[in-house]
Amino acid sequence: MHELSLCQAIAGVVTTHAAGRRVDVVRVQVGALRQVVPDSLSFCWTLVRDAAGLPQAALELEFVAAAVACRACGTASAIASRFSVACPVCGSVDVEITRGEEFMVTSIEVCEPATAQPAKGHAHG
């Protein structure tokens, strides 16, 4: 289950950028061609976030459909199967994958720590 190591990598990126602030949401793009099981990734995140000091951080996944640019016929097309990247128009496998291999943290929502308010004193006089 490589989702556990992926979550550990996500936590490492997030904690670095959060710089001690509480993290509420972590958004990750996952391409359709990545071998990631969404339910496993979400489950592993619940394990990793506590160990990484991110107990309130929700994981939001954005899935990116796969697409190719065909060198044979010049067509840019979305592909439906993650098992074949052949051009859906002409069937050629001489394609460039243009979308679907993403795996990246796109944003995090953090909560700024409350700033200490100076104590209110009473003036004597």
Side-chain angles (χ1 to χ4, degrees), residues 6-23:
L6 291 174
C7 285
Q8 290 168 331
I10 292 168
V13 168
V14 170
T15 54
T16 299
H17 290 289
R21 297 171 290 181
R22 186 184 82 212
V23 177

Side-chain angles (χ1 to χ4, degrees), residues 52-68:
L54 304 164
Q56 298 166 332
L59 184 66
E60 289 185 4
L61 302 176
E62 175 192 347
F63 293 97
V64 180
V68 295

Side-chain angles (χ1 to χ4, degrees), residues 85-104:
V85 293
C87 175
V89 175
C90 72
S92 173
V93 293
D94 186 14
V95 297
E96 176 187 352
I97 297 170
T98 57
R99 280 192 336 234
E101 295 185 309
E102 297 81 358
F103 189 86
M104 69 172 96

Side-chain angles (χ1 to χ4, degrees), residues 18-55:
R21 297 171 290 181
R22 186 184 82 212
V23 177
D24 293 326
V25 180
V26 177
R27 290 183 186 85
V28 176
Q29 274 188 348
V30 180
L33 299 176
R34 290 289 174 174
Q35 298 299 314
V36 174
V37 177
D39 289 341
S40 293
L41 191 68
S42 295
F43 173 73
C44 289
W45 179 249
T46 62
L47 302 174
V48 169
R49 70 180 181 186
D50 292 336
L54 304 164

